[in-house]
Amino acid sequence: MGKAELPLHAPGTRVDKGYIGQSVPRPNAKRLLQGRGAFVDDLRFPRLAHVAFFRSPHAHARIKRLDFGNALKSAGVIDVFDGRAVAEYCTPWVGVLAHLKGIKSPPQHAIAIERACWQGEAVAAVVAESRTQAEDAVDLIDADWEELPAVLDMDEALSGRCVIHPELGDNICFKREHDTGGVDEAFAKADLVVEETYRFGRHTGVCLEGRSILADYNAAEHTLTVHHSTQAPHMMQDVFSRHLGIPEANVRVIARDVGGSFGIKVHVYPDEMATAALSVMLRRPVKFVADRLESFLTDIHAREHKVTIRLACSKDGEILAFDLDDLSAIGPYSVYPRTSGIEGNQVVNLTGGPYKHQKYRAKLNVVFTNKNVTCQYRAVGHPIAVALTEGIVDLAAQNLKMDPAEFRRRNLIPDDAYPYTFPSGVKFEKLSHHQCLDQLLGLMNYASLRKEQADLRGRNIFRGIGLAAMIEVTNPSPAFYGVGGARISAQDGATLRLEPTGMVTVMCSVTEQGQGTEGIFAQIAASAVGVSMDKVRVITGDTGVTPYGGGTWASRGAGIGGEAVLLAGRALLSNILDVASKVLNLEKETLDIENNAIVDKLTQEKKMPLEELGRITYFRPDILPLDFQAELTVTRHYTPREYAFTFTNGIQASLVEVDTDTGFVKLLKHWCVEDSGTVINPMLVDEQLRGGVAEGIGAALYEECLYSPEGQLLNGNMADYVVPMSGEIPDIVCAHIETPTRQSQLGAKGVGEAGTAGAPGAVMNAINDALAPLGARVTAMPFTPERILRALGRIA
Amino acid sequence: MEHALDITLTVNGTPVSRRVEARQHLVDFLREELGLTGSHVGCEHGVCGACTVRVDGEIVRGCLMLAVQANGCKVDTIEGLSDSKEVGELQRAFHERNSLQCGFCTPGMLMAARDLQLKNPAASREQIRAHLSGNYCRCTGYQAIVDAIEEVLHGKS
Ligand code: FES
Ligand code: FES
């Protein structure tokens, strides 16, 4: 795959000189390539203590007795604490938000008190001189349990026969109904009604770096510094402050290198809160790094849904209505502070998203169970909504004997229909479904693939082609969390400073987890100011240093943080030119910055290097006019407010071959056409898409957290929980349409989640397309060989 | 220390002697005792490859080998191969093609890639994928990693 063909600047956007649209390598990648990064577990502190947790072996049980006697005597142990002891330093929380009407969840403690509600919930903490010693002592804790009935099945939970939290009355965390009206009428007059039930396996993020936190409390200052593998440092600063009773200004959260996050590291985890509390209690730094087994038991899981969807359409293939019933299980608590209601809510918002039908009805029930908690994992709700929609759309096309690409073409919202309000209530600024579809079909050579498929079928080779069109939430406004009362910033800020040497330092509240945030900020800053990229240094992930902001989630880093950097860069340019105008005694309007120097705007004649301007500003301001003060540090912020979300769109295609004897699916190729507005760095965008597609492929084919009937996680390790490795993932072809958002100068929309959102649906449709001549269909992810053989009737 | 043993080994060309617990894994020894934190720990059960280091010329999983088993051995880590520039070409190609995102898997990937470069410099794209199949990367989708290695092996662009 070569470098993507893209215009240097997105058409129609006002873009500054330089690097925007170019595939420049990320400057910050070099330290990682040499193993010289600074992940939390790489940091070294004097008097560092290590915590290991004693976790519930039961899905639901009362803690009758905890005996720490032997553990306390174990070598290197500093202390052992139960939930009550930690609760004196850390208040409980409740994962609800006001705009999710009726959502409920009980208070959750850092360490469980009285009762454990899932296998893996921490019930005691052992602090020792080393992690090994802490783990040794965990094994010596003696506990008596009274097992309680565990609710594991979603339907069982919904029935309310056994209620996990009796004080809540039932097991329903959140429910929502949405109805445009006219749905029954649309179904009554439809020529074709198709209905199907889809199941999605609960799976998880499997970041290669486990969750990591090193909390360092300074008793003299009553300050807490937390080195944290997190996506949202300011949110965590607020949470630590609020629940540990330390003034917010005294809490500093530093997220240096983060080894993958994907939404896993944007939530409040009880064991991490306990670690921070233990640092306060013991007045010394305490570290917790989740090992792989703990990660499977306690990193948020996601996407356990069972959904029945119906589609009504006319005989010439016009979709008239969708009707949806989604049941989703989230474990025993709604996760704080984003809640576990958002995923299902997104399914309601997004189902049917690319299409122009007007009638829509949806019902959602989100229930508590005694498994690990679920919450927002990359693409939140989108993989479900896309797979449902695209699965039922393909089924309708198949019934009408219509080509699935043609069926989509008839129903996709026209490219000139914007702005557009979708029947679920969400608003689209401008999308490009038809352009994307056309580009995809050309890119993959759809017609000849269909021909090849037909030829191969004659030779008993079963290939399938699957399409998945989608919409995606990016650049969220405060409508996502802030309006519900969460102290999660939808705004981000950037500070730019011209240094005396002519270097530009960028400090931004959006964080870096490998997606290339720091790289694109360097590109934007260099372009806006007029310097070369080697003159830019970017600092992120430190609440003590950067402006306040939301961090990295919901595909917002480039669109929101990038805009803040652009605005700050332009302001810095203007301020630099003010200084230059005084020093050179020339009109500001005649000057510009080009290639690290003040130049004449028209002739590009070099007037003064920036380092000379820096020298004068900082060391010889005596030669500047008395009534002039140079300001070479500027801060700008940005929040999208015009639209609740800046929707993007895209379409993916998957080509698979199914071995009907073994049930194995071979992925032959995958295509992805995405419209994420202005593309700042095509190379980074493509790798984001590919990584996302790989996660989506994992969900479609391999990944599921399997629980026993007793609520024991059966495959909580990397040998038994299968993730895609290099041999499984095919080459992935990416291409772009660029429809910049008009809400910002930069025009960038988000792209980080698109791959994950669309891939499962595309793969599912490809498999079903391959199986169609055999009369078989699969609808329960992941599509394991066993499930495929069962669908084929090869096994019972 | 109960069950402690004295070991002497060469790490990145420098002789090192330490008294270590018998149960300590090689990767923990490198990280905790020597401060060589470039080798990462992703699973501690031999699946992810983040802990890949080279012992007497063979790549091994640092989480499946005990430090005492490396007694008398020559151990190379990402830090050593970076300083000696042995993986310089691979690092350049990885950088130019953005074959890493979070970078947590990268040291292990580079160790595996270097091993392939030494043992099968003519490896095809499929063989590259097969050789990396014990190294998990959640971020990239692998394609850019395969591209970079292919470029270094075959001078393709
Ligand atoms: S940490 Fe050794 S293979 Fe995963
Ligand atoms: S770059 Fe993050 S795991 Fe490979």
Side-chain angles (χ1 to χ4, degrees):
Chain A
M1 222 62 44
K3 182 178 148 180
E5 298 272 326
L6 278 173
L8 190 60
H9 300 325
T13 2
R14 184 195 173 292
V15 174
D16 300 50
K17 300 159 283 209
Y19 297 94
I20 292 172
Q22 293 193 9
S23 290
V24 274
R26 293 151 53 201
N28 65 353
K30 284 191 176 164
R31 67 170 181 267
L32 302 169
L33 282 159
Q34 295 201 7
R36 291 184 160 114
F39 298 95
V40 170
D41 200 26
D42 299 341
L43 306 175
R44 297 292 177 264
F45 280 71
R47 286 191 81 231
L48 179 63
H50 301 256
V51 58
F53 294 95
F54 176 68
R55 297 180 182 279
S56 171
H58 303 295
H60 197 192
R62 190 165 308 288
I63 308 163
K64 285 168 64 184
R65 188 183 61 95
L66 285 173
D67 183 347
F68 300 152
N70 291 329
L72 281 163
K73 281 184 247 152
S74 187
V77 168
I78 295 164
D79 214 335
V80 184
F81 301 98
D82 67 4
R84 282 205 174 74
V86 173
E88 288 187 25
Y89 289 81
C90 181
T91 57
W93 53 85
V94 179
V96 299
L97 287 170
H99 64 313
L100 300 179
K101 291 203 175 43
I103 189 169
K104 57 187 195 262
S105 185
Q108 186 177 12
H109 282 92
I111 307 265
I113 295 175
E114 281 184 5
R115 186 172 69 125
C117 290
W118 83 89
Q119 180 218 3
E121 183 171 11
V123 292
V126 177
V127 188
E129 301 289 347
S130 75
R131 168 80 185 207
T132 317
Q133 289 171 325
E135 286 181 16
D136 287 346
V138 163
D139 289 344
L140 301 175
I141 291 178
D142 201 14
D144 280 347
W145 300 91
E146 177 197 341
E147 279 195 68
L148 301 169
V151 181
L152 299 157
D153 176 75
M154 293 196 266
D155 289 295
E156 180 63 22
L158 186 63
S159 79
R161 275 187 285 271
C162 173
V163 177
I164 296 172
H165 306 291
E167 69 278 18
L168 299 182
D170 56 29
N171 290 319
I172 298 172
C173 168
F174 175 58
K175 57 181 175 186
R176 179 178 165 196
E177 289 189 8
H178 180 83
D179 193 351
T180 57
V183 172
D184 288 331
E185 293 78 355
F187 274 88
K189 74 167 197 216
D191 299 313
L192 173 72
V193 171
V194 278
E195 174 178 331
E196 203 158 49
T197 296
Y198 297 88
R199 288 185 169 77
F200 297 86
R202 162 186 273 261
H203 54 278
T204 184
V206 201
C207 310
L208 187 49
E209 179 210 34
R211 291 185 290 106
S212 311
I213 181 169
L214 191 160
D216 186 10
Y217 177 68
N218 185 316
E221 297 175 328
H222 191 42
T223 55
L224 180 72
T225 305
V226 185
H227 300 267
H228 197 187
S229 184
T230 180
Q231 301 170 231
H234 283 100
M235 180 193 94
M236 289 310 303
Q237 179 191 31
D238 174 75
V239 168
F240 289 129
S241 159
R242 194 165 294 278
H243 292 281
L244 298 174
I246 300 171
E248 192 186 73
N250 289 14
V251 179
R252 179 176 176 191
V253 178
I254 301 172
R256 194 71 201 287
D257 290 318
V258 172
S261 50
F262 321 113
I264 301 304
K265 295 174 179 170
V266 76
H267 310 294
V268 170
Y269 286 92
D271 47 20
E272 296 179 11
M273 293 302 289
T275 304
L278 291 165
S279 175
V280 178
M281 294 161 79
L282 296 167
R283 300 169 177 241
R284 63 192 288 179
V286 179
K287 178 166 78 173
F288 168 65
V289 177
D291 70 24
R292 187 53 54 193
L293 305 183
E294 297 182 286
S295 299
F296 276 107
L297 287 170
T298 61
D299 283 10
I300 57 120
H301 295 174
R303 319 216 216 282
E304 184 178 358
H305 288 247
K306 184 180 83 173
V307 199
T308 300
I309 184 164
R310 294 196 304 147
L311 178 155
C313 73
S314 71
K315 59 179 179 306
D316 43 336
E318 186 196 351
I319 302 175
L320 305 172
F322 284 94
D323 187 9
L324 173 82
D325 186 349
D326 182 8
L327 175 59
S328 171
I330 57 152
Y333 295 98
S334 168
V335 173
Y336 185 64
R338 288 163 194 260
T339 83
S340 305
I342 296 281
E343 186 180 78
N345 203 48
Q346 293 281 56
V347 173
V348 173
N349 284 340
L350 304 173
T351 295
Y355 302 110
K356 62 185 182 202
H357 59 284
Q358 291 298 313
K359 307 295 178 213
Y360 178 46
R361 182 166 62 198
K363 185 167 122 191
L364 166 70
N365 278 295
V366 177
V367 295
F368 295 114
T369 49
N370 291 111
K371 298 181 190 174
N372 181 23
V373 294
T374 76
C375 200
Q376 281 76 294
Y377 163 46
R378 192 178 198 172
V380 197
H382 293 69
I384 315 272
V386 173
L388 292 174
T389 306
E390 296 302 278
I392 201 76
V393 157
D394 262 19
L395 188 60
Q398 192 186 18
N399 272 270
L400 293 170
K401 304 205 171 6
M402 197 179 280
D403 178 83
E406 176 55 27
F407 187 83
R408 284 176 175 78
R409 193 188 305 286
R410 289 189 191 188
N411 286 289
L412 288 167
I413 299 169
D415 288 357
D416 60 3
Y418 302 94
Y420 188 93
T421 301
F422 184 70
S424 75
V426 296
K427 293 188 173 56
F428 307 139
E429 180 194 0
K430 183 141 176 58
L431 304 178
S432 58
H433 289 298
H434 290 267
Q435 279 185 73
C436 285
L437 175 65
D438 289 344
Q439 174 136 354
L440 178 83
L441 298 179
L443 192 65
M444 65 192 286
N445 223 334
Y446 184 75
S448 64
L449 277 183
R450 283 286 177 208
K451 190 174 166 308
E452 181 188 57
Q453 177 189 33
D455 293 346
L456 289 171
R457 267 178 196 172
R459 293 166 30 204
N460 271 342
I461 293 173
F462 294 91
R463 288 207 175 161
I465 300 161
L467 302 178
M470 55 183 232
I471 54 167
E472 193 204 337
V473 166
T474 80
N475 296 4
S477 76
F480 212 171
Y481 293 113
V483 297
R487 295 174 70 87
I488 298 171
S489 175
Q491 173 175 283
D492 277 277
T495 297
L496 264 65
R497 180 170 73 222
L498 185 77
E499 307 289 350
T501 54
M503 298 284 295
V504 175
T505 301
V506 177
M507 288 161 281
C508 185
S509 51
V510 171
T511 53
E512 168 76 276
Q513 283 93 45
Q515 68 277 54
T517 312
E518 294 182 356
I520 61 159
F521 290 170
Q523 287 177 261
I524 296 167
S527 307
V529 179
V531 299
S532 51
M533 261 184 78
D534 61 331
K535 299 287 184 211
V536 182
R537 292 286 174 273
V538 181
I539 298 169
T540 63
D542 187 344
T543 61
V545 173
T546 72
Y548 199 93
T552 303
W553 41 274
S555 298
R556 63 191 299 286
I560 299 178
E563 179 71 2
V565 173
L566 179 69
L567 298 177
R570 289 193 183 151
L572 180 61
L573 167 69
S574 172
N575 288 7
I576 293 171
L577 295 181
D578 283 334
V579 180
S581 146
K582 300 294 179 206
V583 175
L584 298 166
N585 211 0
L586 291 167
E587 288 296 316
K588 180 182 175 186
E589 288 63 37
T590 68
L591 299 173
D592 199 358
I593 302 175
E594 192 64 60
N595 203 13
N596 312 313
I598 306 293
V599 298
D600 182 285
K601 202 176 209 160
L602 284 179
T603 65
Q604 298 288 299
E605 181 202 343
K606 192 168 158 179
K607 298 285 185 194
M608 180 173 48
L610 275 184
E611 56 181 304
E612 175 62 5
L613 184 139
R615 184 190 69 81
I616 292 168
T617 308
Y618 290 103
F619 309 124
R620 294 302 309 277
D622 53 304
I623 67 170
L624 293 171
L626 263 184
D627 60 353
F628 176 78
Q629 174 61 50
E631 292 294 352
L632 297 188
T633 300
V634 297
T635 300
R636 291 293 182 274
H637 292 86
Y638 175 67
T639 330
R641 283 177 295 180
E642 195 179 333
Y643 286 83
F645 309 102
T646 305
F647 274 90
T648 63
N649 65 284
I651 185 163
Q652 296 186 25
S654 165
L655 176 67
V656 306
E657 189 170 302
V658 180
D659 182 329
T660 53
D661 292 324
T662 64
F664 275 94
V665 174
K666 176 139 184 69
L667 300 163
L668 300 173
K669 204 152 186 171
H670 200 98
W671 296 265
C672 180
V673 178
E674 180 68 15
D675 186 346
S676 52
T678 305
V679 173
I680 299 163
N681 185 322
M683 177 169 71
L684 299 193
V685 168
D686 287 357
E687 272 313 297
Q688 278 272 290
L689 285 170
R690 292 193 179 106
V693 166
E695 280 186 329
I697 286 172
L701 294 181
Y702 311 114
E703 299 184 37
E704 184 168 18
C705 300
L706 298 166
Y707 279 84
S708 76
E710 297 77 33
Q712 299 287 316
L713 182 60
L714 295 171
N715 60 341
N717 62 73
M718 284 194 71
D720 296 325
Y721 180 101
V722 183
V723 288
M725 304 295 275
S726 53
E728 278 87 47
I729 299 297
D731 280 346
I732 298 161
V733 183
C734 301
H736 305 272
I737 300 290
E738 292 188 70
T739 309
T741 171
R742 305 283 165 176
Q743 297 173 78
S744 71
Q745 301 285 316
L746 186 61
K749 305 174 185 175
V751 75
E753 301 170 282
T756 313
V763 171
M764 176 176 78
N765 282 350
I767 294 170
N768 283 330
D769 187 46
L771 297 179
L774 300 164
R777 241 180 113 73
V778 285
T779 54
M781 289 188 200
F783 304 116
T784 57
E786 183 189 345
R787 281 177 173 161
I788 288 171
L789 290 177
R790 194 167 291 138
L792 286 166
R794 295 288 174 92
I795 56 172
Chain B
M1 248 189 272
E2 243 181 308
H3 310 301
L5 293 128
D6 292 318
I7 59 169
T8 297
L9 62 168
T10 305
V11 179
N12 296 330
T14 306
V16 173
S17 293
R18 287 285 193 285
R19 188 167 182 81
V20 298
E21 276 194 78
R23 65 175 174 173
Q24 186 169 47
H25 290 123
L26 178 60
V27 67
D28 292 336
F29 171 75
L30 294 168
R31 291 180 55 85
E32 305 305 327
E33 303 295 327
L34 305 185
L36 292 167
T37 54
S39 306
H40 296 148
V41 174
C43 71
E44 295 177 273
H45 48 260
V47 183
C48 76
C51 61
T52 307
V53 294
R54 201 164 67 189
V55 178
D56 288 343
E58 294 293 327
I59 51 169
V60 302
R61 315 239 134 179
C63 71
L64 292 185
M65 183 173 181
L66 297 170
V68 293
Q69 291 177 294
N71 187 28
C73 295
K74 188 172 162 303
V75 176
D76 295 298
T77 70
I78 187 64
E79 290 91 343
L81 299 197
S82 298
D83 288 348
S84 71
K85 307 224 166 22
E86 192 185 326
V87 288
E89 262 301 279
L90 285 163
Q91 285 166 327
R92 179 198 54 74
F94 269 54
H95 188 225
E96 281 175 8
R97 290 176 174 273
N98 198 46
S99 311
L100 69 160
Q101 288 183 26
C102 78
F104 203 81
C105 68
T106 311
M109 286 286 180
L110 287 166
M111 298 301 290
R114 176 62 183 156
D115 186 58
L116 181 68
Q117 194 186 10
L118 290 171
K119 297 204 171 121
N120 184 8
S124 67
R125 207 170 161 84
E126 276 57 49
Q127 287 171 321
I128 296 170
R129 283 197 182 269
H131 195 79
L132 298 181
S133 65
N135 288 76
Y136 171 61
C137 175
R138 189 56 144 181
C139 302
T140 63
Y142 302 102
Q143 188 165 333
I145 297 173
V146 177
D147 288 348
I149 297 170
E150 196 178 27
E151 178 198 317
V152 171
L153 295 187
H154 306 307
K156 264 205 219 163
S157 63

